[in-house]
Amino acid sequence: MINHTVCKRTSSDHISGKSICKKARPNVKLEDLPQDLLCTIVSKLHPKEVLRASVLSSHWRYICDICCFKLCFSGTAGYTRDTFERKEYLQYMQKFINNVNTVVQKCHGKLVQEFSVKFEFDAVLLDHLNNWVNFAVSSRAKSLAVYLRPINKRRTDVDRYVFPFHLLDSESNMSHLQSLQLSFVSFRLPSEFSGFPSLRKLDLEFVHISIEDLEVLLSNCYNLGWLSLVRSYLNGELKFNHPLSHLRHLTVVYCMVTRIELQVTNLVTFVYYGPIVPIVINQHSKLESAYICFREATFHDAVSALVNGIPSIQNLTFQTTPPPLEEQSLLNNKFKFSHLRCLQLLMGILAEDTYKLPHVLVSVLRAAPFIEKLEIHFAAGSHLCFANNSTLGKKHLQPSEYSYLKSMHMTGYKGARGQLEFLLHIVENAPVLEVLTVETTQRLYEDVYAKLICKKKSML
């Protein structure tokens, strides 16, 4: 706040020729701030503090009255079309509709920070959903989420909710929206759609959208920091022709893309699930962490694709399904993980491939000469058996030095020949190794993925 200096001269001061200078603050009060900013401040307070603020003055009572913080509506888990007869289901859905409409009517004319609705999509909901989206837009909601799911969970080839983008296609309506999360909807973008200038997070799941519509949707999203595409079948190459200089997190899960090529300099986290495809990320990007799961790909082909596509990655979590392992070496590849410091492997292996395991893992380590932390989580059943002493009499691995490896953690250890041989190799060839942890318990893949996502969400 700017301080103004006010000079006053008294009669005695006038005689002595002295002046007394005093600092005075301008008459600016907290309630003089813009209304949406005041609502943001109030929304951060505890409900008890909001109640105390409302008794300070009639003006603060008015502010607390018009500010509606978060409106989240969700159907009760377990009450689905699969467990209800049609009549009972319609009664349950009508009750849900009435509850939402009652709250929306009471909050009419108020500012809303977040609006979220989660339910099964039925044609009966169509007009109500449009009205709720219109309410959220007119209430200047910063976060809008429409989580829908099919009535029959075993069928996803049914009609989806056509999201009313025409309600957002104006500068006044789009200026406040910062987060948009949609599930089980279909896109029909207006011909003059101009994008979301303030959008920071876009989350699409089970959405019917083409590559062309996605490109239009992302146009002018210069502040977008989080983009997640899950089972939104694009059927083409994923490229960003518009600059997304603030994009820090990207998730692509089972979207049937044929190629991913990114020219994003500030990307920090990248997640990909699906078949093996070419992935090319700008080598000058600040990419720190990647979680990659290639389906139906040999281990050698998968690692080679990563070495060629994202050689500048610093932390890599790599999950593989159990196709046959190949003993091909990566030593002749001219590309290496020259920046990789932490590697986490989630491996499913077959019984007949256990003897190949040391060669495969060593080839990966040699492609990452500066690795400091290694985690290997095996998913294997009882087919992995303890190694016999006779199988360890002959050494199969040539000596190598891992000069930077300080920590190794292995789970799902069954004492199989390949596991034990690789452990001995690491102990003998890692001179600065400080921590070695071996567990027989098996770590679930989903737990690792969930921790990664939760960690990166906190960054935004």
Side-chain angles (χ1 to χ4, degrees):
M1 187 174 291
I2 300 175
N3 292 332
H4 298 271
T5 301
V6 179
C7 294
K8 295 183 180 180
R9 186 183 292 242
T10 63
S11 57
S12 58
D13 295 330
H14 179 72
I15 297 174
S16 61
K18 297 180 180 179
S19 61
I20 300 176
C21 295
K22 297 182 179 180
K23 290 185 177 181
R25 295 179 181 270
N27 190 22
V28 177
K29 299 180 180 180
L30 187 63
E31 51 262 32
D32 294 331
L33 294 173
Q35 184 169 295
D36 57 345
L37 182 56
L38 286 174
C39 285
T40 301
I41 296 174
V42 173
S43 67
K44 305 296 183 182
L45 298 177
H46 190 275
K48 291 183 178 180
E49 299 297 331
V50 175
L51 183 61
R52 293 176 182 175
S54 65
V55 300
L56 292 177
S57 66
S58 58
H59 185 75
W60 270 100
R61 190 178 304 112
Y62 167 75
I63 294 174
C64 296
D65 184 58
I66 66 171
C67 290
C68 205
F69 315 130
K70 297 181 181 180
L71 298 180
C72 300
F73 307 95
S74 177
T76 305
Y79 290 85
T80 67
R81 177 71 177 274
D82 295 336
T83 58
F84 271 85
E85 296 294 335
R86 179 63 179 174
K87 182 178 179 180
E88 295 175 335
Y89 176 77
L90 289 176
Q91 292 176 349
Y92 171 71
M93 182 171 56
Q94 189 59 51
K95 182 179 179 181
F96 177 81
I97 292 173
N98 293 339
N99 291 337
V100 177
N101 286 336
T102 299
V103 176
V104 166
Q105 186 176 5
K106 289 183 178 180
C107 294
H108 181 72
K110 299 180 180 181
L111 296 180
V112 175
Q113 293 291 320
E114 298 181 17
F115 185 88
S116 171
V117 58
K118 182 177 182 180
F119 204 75
E120 293 179 342
F121 178 63
D122 191 287
V124 178
L125 276 176
L126 182 59
D127 291 336
H128 297 283
L129 285 170
N130 289 337
N131 292 335
W132 298 339
V133 172
N134 187 35
F135 161 77
V137 172
S138 61
S139 301
R140 298 184 177 185
K142 294 182 179 180
S143 176
L144 174 60
V146 181
Y147 295 103
L148 302 177
R149 54 185 182 268
I151 292 178
N152 189 337
K153 295 181 179 180
R154 290 177 289 274
R155 291 192 59 188
T156 58
D157 58 340
V158 294
D159 292 338
R160 288 165 164 79
Y161 170 55
V162 180
F163 190 80
F165 276 97
H166 62 277
L167 298 177
L168 304 175
D169 196 23
S170 68
E171 184 176 352
S172 60
N173 289 341
M174 294 190 298
S175 60
H176 295 277
L177 193 61
Q178 297 180 6
S179 174
L180 181 62
Q181 298 170 269
L182 302 176
S183 175
F184 203 69
V185 306
S186 179
F187 282 9
R188 294 177 186 173
L189 295 178
S191 57
E192 300 298 328
F193 190 79
S194 56
F196 298 100
S198 302
L199 197 66
R200 297 181 181 177
K201 180 177 182 179
L202 178 61
D203 196 334
L204 305 179
E205 184 174 355
F206 289 103
V207 171
H208 270 171
I209 184 172
S210 65
I211 289 285
E212 294 76 16
D213 283 340
L214 179 62
E215 177 66 25
V216 174
L217 183 64
L218 296 177
S219 63
N220 296 324
C221 290
Y222 301 116
N223 294 307
L224 190 67
W226 175 287
L227 176 60
S228 178
L229 305 170
V230 178
R231 296 188 185 274
S232 300
Y233 306 121
L234 302 175
N235 299 314
E237 295 186 1
L238 181 60
K239 293 183 178 180
F240 298 142
N241 296 325
H242 295 276
L244 296 175
S245 58
H246 291 86
L247 188 64
R248 294 172 58 82
H249 176 90
L250 174 64
T251 294
V252 181
V253 176
Y254 298 125
C255 288
M256 297 179 65
V257 295
T258 57
R259 178 183 176 88
I260 299 177
E261 186 171 344
L262 307 176
Q263 298 295 329
V264 283
T265 57
N266 291 313
L267 190 67
V268 175
T269 308
F270 174 61
V271 177
Y272 175 81
Y273 264 62
I276 184 171
V277 296
I279 299 177
V280 180
I281 298 180
N282 183 6
Q283 295 187 7
H284 301 291
S285 69
K286 300 178 181 178
L287 186 62
E288 295 180 1
S289 302
Y291 187 109
I292 307 294
C293 177
F294 285 139
R295 296 292 183 181
E296 302 177 359
T298 64
F299 190 85
H300 175 268
D301 290 343
V303 175
S304 297
L306 295 179
V307 172
N308 296 332
I310 51 175
S312 61
I313 185 67
Q314 300 177 35
N315 304 282
L316 174 62
T317 298
F318 179 48
Q319 176 179 339
T320 64
T321 53
L325 292 178
E326 297 179 344
E327 292 186 89
Q328 294 173 323
S329 175
L330 297 172
L331 294 177
N332 296 327
N333 196 318
K334 64 178 180 179
F335 296 102
K336 290 184 179 294
F337 290 115
S338 57
H339 296 83
L340 189 62
R341 297 296 183 270
C342 299
L343 174 62
Q344 187 176 63
L345 297 175
L346 311 178
M347 301 185 64
I349 55 177
L350 302 175
E352 59 269 23
D353 289 335
T354 54
Y355 76 94
K356 304 176 185 178
L357 188 62
H359 299 274
V360 172
L361 294 177
V362 167
S363 66
V364 174
L365 287 181
R366 290 175 179 173
F370 301 105
I371 189 171
E372 299 177 0
K373 182 179 180 181
L374 174 65
E375 292 186 21
I376 307 175
H377 305 289
F378 292 105
S382 58
H383 61 265
L384 290 185
C385 57
F386 286 98
N388 296 323
N389 293 333
S390 59
T391 63
L392 297 175
K394 180 180 179 181
K395 298 221 174 187
H396 297 83
L397 299 176
Q398 294 182 354
S400 181
E401 184 170 322
Y402 311 111
S403 304
Y404 295 86
L405 186 61
K406 299 179 180 179
S407 172
M408 191 179 84
H409 185 190
M410 180 184 293
T411 65
Y413 178 76
K414 302 298 182 181
R417 165 185 165 182
Q419 293 176 324
L420 183 54
E421 187 175 343
F422 178 71
L423 275 177
L424 294 175
H425 175 77
I426 290 296
V427 171
E428 294 173 354
N429 294 274
V432 297
L433 187 67
E434 299 175 351
V435 180
L436 175 61
T437 305
V438 179
E439 299 181 20
T440 57
T441 56
Q442 181 174 304
R443 178 179 295 189
L444 297 179
Y445 292 170
E446 292 77 7
D447 292 343
V448 179
Y449 172 72
K451 290 179 181 179
L452 174 69
I453 296 301
C454 292
K455 177 181 178 181
K456 296 308 175 183
K457 277 186 177 181
S458 63
M459 297 170 55
L460 297 178

